[in-house]
Amino acid sequence: MFPTVREVLALDPVRHGAPRVVAGDAGLDRPVRWVHVAEVPDIATLLGGGELVLTTGIGLPGDDAGLRAFIGDLADVGVSGLVVELGRRYVSGVPRAMAATAERRGLPLVELRRATPFVRITEAVHALIVDAQLTELRATEEIHQRFNDLSIEGADAAEVIRQAAELSGCPVVLENLSRQVLGYDHAGESAELLLDGWEQHSRRIRPAGRTAYDPDSGWLVTAVGARGQDWGRLLLRWPANGDVPSVRAGAPAAGPPTRLSILIERAASTLALGRLIRRDAEGLERQIHRTLLTALLDHSRPVDEVALRAKALGVLLDRRHLVGVMVRHRADDPAGESGPEAGQARLRDLSEAVGQAVREAKLTALTSAVDDNSVGALLALPDPAAEDRALSAFAGALRRVRLDAGTGRATSGVDPSRGGGPGAVIVAAGSGVSSLREARRSLVEARQIAEAARRDRRDLPIFRLPHVGLAGLLHLLRDEPRLQTFVERELGALLEYDARHPREQLLDTLRAYLEQGRNKSAAAAAAHLSRPAFYERLARIARILDVDLDSVEAALSLHVALLALEAVRAP
């Protein structure tokens, strides 16, 4: 942004004064932040560094020690240089003590051998600084605009790197944390020379900060990452002094302008944002899917709004045949997993598998986890005739996806992704509906069928309502107060007796009797009781319940009540 001492000496008002560098020429490439006119020896206390000091010398000390202290103070504060106009205090040249001290401290000391109005020098230099600042501001604005556009457009890494190289005119390299090149733009230089032995070269680049310039290597570096996790570095090669015509060979390396630090940081932010968007796009879409499915299940949003938002996601639900599907594991805690984190990971894996299966089956659906155990899907089909074919395609795709992912890998000839293995899942589908307003019924039915099917050991690709049987039906109705009332009416007296006599547990005796088809001998053997003891228990049950256990109707009613009790007690 700021001109160097060398560039200032090339300005017409300065050249008019016939400048001659008498000491400290190694510092001519120092930037000049401002020009300050001073005629007092203690001016250093008023300076902040980076100033080019102009003086006629009339107020400077007359002794060598004072001149040495004056030059030392200027060097200590970090001024860019000292320009002395000859003719008023010094006629033929500056004192040797002043020149020697300036040379030793590396401070540029310049004589103006012809009288020159200082105001013309300050005006010229300050105009140059302001112009450079405006140019820098415009460049910075263009950088921000360019990378904002790239972020909005979702540009890939190659395009971001290309734009960074174009705006800077310098080679740009993107590497991962292992120093492997992920992308680069050589900006017209030799790509072979740029990348040859890159890993070893990169490991020698050690900037002091998240964004910093390493003068030893000539690279401006910034970290690339977000959410506290860096995944790479973006490097911009700022030419060494020997590559810049305005810089004399052997001079100290000049750091890159501020705009390049801004550029590389904006490019790194764009790269990090792009990676997050690509990585999280699926997750964000799933979140919206979950919001819409949950809205259908709990009536939290109007149906028309759900349809509109789903359409915006590319899922058309209006004028479609809709089928609710629920997928869940049979076991709540598979072997080898425990704790909430494992459960969340398992559900997340299942949700991803369901989404992939929908895509592989070329179906349109809202899919997402809907609770701690289940992943729901609302399939949108063109017509009812496609229902069976679509469900079969989905179930087959889900099984293939889970096997490919290793979650359902066969062991000892058994496919645990089906049946009763530890990784087994249940796919349940509700009845198809023709309106989004009825979709909740299909989803709820699918959830209930999935719950009921957990107790069904059959290996079915898809469970539908006809598959759940009496036990499944009772499980679906387990929260129904009338069913609970029926259980209490039929078995309440026996449950109270068992509560008072925990050693007898007559309910188990009744269960054995009914499960063996009222065959008393077989039931006694199943209960591990002698026949007289078993018969005596049956008689006691009949008295407690006031029923005839030999009656088919009474036995049927008790059996249904037992199945309902198991459904009510099930977690």
Side-chain angles (χ1 to χ4, degrees), residues 376-388:
L378 182 63
L379 304 183
L381 309 176
D383 57 74
E387 181 176 314
D388 291 339

Side-chain angles (χ1 to χ4, degrees), residues 11-228:
L11 294 175
D12 287 343
V14 181
R15 291 173 59 194
H16 175 77
R20 181 170 70 93
V21 179
V22 297
D25 59 348
L28 290 179
D29 294 299
R30 291 180 177 180
V32 176
R33 186 177 59 83
W34 204 244
V35 177
H36 195 89
V37 179
E39 298 294 355
V40 293
D42 57 349
I43 188 62
T45 59
L46 304 178
L47 303 177
E51 297 90 353
L52 180 64
V53 178
L54 307 181
T55 184
T56 63
I58 58 175
L60 298 185
D63 59 304
D64 289 349
L67 290 175
R68 294 189 190 98
F70 173 70
I71 296 296
D73 290 343
L74 293 181
D76 289 341
V77 81
V79 299
S80 299
L82 175 64
V83 178
V84 181
E85 182 189 72
L86 302 181
R88 299 197 181 188
R89 176 69 182 276
Y90 309 116
V91 179
S92 60
V94 297
R96 291 182 179 179
M98 180 184 290
T101 305
E103 181 67 28
R104 187 176 67 254
R105 297 298 301 269
L107 178 68
L109 177 59
V110 180
E111 295 176 342
L112 293 181
R113 292 168 290 175
R114 185 183 302 143
T116 302
F118 284 171
V119 65
R120 294 181 182 175
I121 297 176
T122 58
E123 285 178 346
V125 175
H126 292 168
L128 193 64
I129 292 173
V130 171
D131 286 345
Q133 289 174 329
L134 288 175
T135 301
E136 191 85 354
L137 182 61
R138 295 189 189 100
T140 301
E141 183 178 357
E142 182 182 359
I143 289 169
H144 284 295
Q145 186 60 50
R146 187 81 64 92
F147 287 108
N148 280 341
D149 292 343
L150 291 174
S151 297
I152 293 171
E153 294 168 1
D156 59 16
E159 179 62 15
V160 174
I161 295 169
R162 189 189 72 78
Q163 294 281 1
E166 178 181 307
L167 287 170
S168 65
C170 303
V172 177
V173 176
L174 174 65
E175 65 177 13
N176 62 18
L177 297 179
S178 298
R179 305 300 195 267
Q180 297 171 327
V181 176
L182 302 177
Y184 71 94
D185 190 301
H186 52 80
E189 297 188 12
S190 169
E192 290 76 14
L193 292 177
L194 179 69
L195 301 179
D196 184 40
W198 175 259
E199 180 179 343
Q200 291 74 20
H201 176 63
S202 174
R203 294 188 184 280
R204 293 193 293 268
I205 302 173
R206 296 178 176 272
R210 184 171 181 84
T211 300
Y213 178 65
D214 181 13
D216 294 335
S217 63
W219 286 91
L220 176 62
V221 186
T222 190
V224 183
R227 297 176 178 173

Side-chain angles (χ1 to χ4, degrees), residues 81-416:
L82 175 64
V83 178
V84 181
E85 182 189 72
L86 302 181
R88 299 197 181 188
R89 176 69 182 276
Y90 309 116
V91 179
S92 60
V94 297
R96 291 182 179 179
M98 180 184 290
T101 305
E103 181 67 28
R104 187 176 67 254
R105 297 298 301 269
L107 178 68
L109 177 59
V110 180
E111 295 176 342
L112 293 181
R113 292 168 290 175
R114 185 183 302 143
T116 302
F118 284 171
V119 65
R120 294 181 182 175
I121 297 176
T122 58
E123 285 178 346
V125 175
H126 292 168
L128 193 64
I129 292 173
V130 171
D131 286 345
Q133 289 174 329
L134 288 175
T135 301
E136 191 85 354
L137 182 61
R138 295 189 189 100
T140 301
E141 183 178 357
E142 182 182 359
I143 289 169
H144 284 295
Q145 186 60 50
R146 187 81 64 92
F147 287 108
N148 280 341
D149 292 343
L150 291 174
S151 297
I152 293 171
E153 294 168 1
D156 59 16
E159 179 62 15
V160 174
I161 295 169
R162 189 189 72 78
Q163 294 281 1
E166 178 181 307
L167 287 170
S168 65
C170 303
V172 177
V173 176
L174 174 65
E175 65 177 13
N176 62 18
L177 297 179
S178 298
R179 305 300 195 267
Q180 297 171 327
V181 176
L182 302 177
Y184 71 94
D185 190 301
H186 52 80
E189 297 188 12
S190 169
E192 290 76 14
L193 292 177
L194 179 69
L195 301 179
D196 184 40
W198 175 259
E199 180 179 343
Q200 291 74 20
H201 176 63
S202 174
R203 294 188 184 280
R204 293 193 293 268
I205 302 173
R206 296 178 176 272
R210 184 171 181 84
T211 300
Y213 178 65
D214 181 13
D216 294 335
S217 63
W219 286 91
L220 176 62
V221 186
T222 190
V224 183
R227 297 176 178 173
Q229 295 183 341
D230 293 337
W231 50 266
R233 296 197 308 176
L234 189 63
L235 302 96
L236 182 149
R237 183 173 175 269
W238 178 246
N241 287 345
D243 299 327
V244 182
S246 63
V247 178
R248 187 179 59 81
T258 304
R259 65 179 177 83
L260 290 189
S261 295
I262 295 173
L263 183 149
I264 196 172
E265 288 183 339
R266 289 292 286 114
S269 298
T270 303
L271 288 168
L273 179 61
R275 179 169 172 141
L276 282 176
I277 290 173
R278 286 186 289 274
R279 188 182 68 186
D280 294 346
E282 182 73 9
L284 179 59
E285 184 177 341
R286 292 278 79 78
Q287 291 175 24
I288 300 175
H289 280 221
R290 179 167 189 165
T291 298
L292 299 181
L293 282 176
T294 303
L296 290 174
L297 286 167
D298 59 17
H299 299 296
S300 59
R301 295 176 184 268
V303 171
D304 292 342
E305 180 183 343
V306 172
L308 186 62
R309 293 191 63 180
K311 184 178 180 180
L313 286 175
V315 181
L316 187 62
L317 300 177
D318 286 330
R319 296 186 295 278
R320 289 294 187 271
H321 183 72
L322 306 174
V323 182
V325 176
M326 288 289 166
V327 183
R328 62 158 300 149
H329 289 90
R330 282 189 182 272
D332 286 335
D333 187 21
E337 289 187 2
S338 60
E341 292 185 0
Q344 291 172 6
R346 184 168 63 117
L347 185 64
R348 184 170 58 252
D349 291 344
L350 183 59
S351 180
E352 292 175 357
V354 169
Q356 185 174 344
V358 167
R359 292 190 293 271
E360 290 196 6
K362 294 181 173 56
L363 299 173
T364 300
L366 292 175
T367 66
S368 174
V370 293
D371 54 40
D372 292 339
N373 300 300
S374 305
V375 177
L378 182 63
L379 304 183
L381 309 176
D383 57 74
E387 181 176 314
D388 291 339
R389 184 173 63 256
L391 288 173
S392 297
F394 168 73
L398 178 61
R399 182 170 179 268
R400 289 192 300 273
V401 167
R402 298 189 72 245
L403 283 173
D404 290 343
T407 57
R409 188 176 290 111
T411 304
S412 301
V414 178
D415 177 5

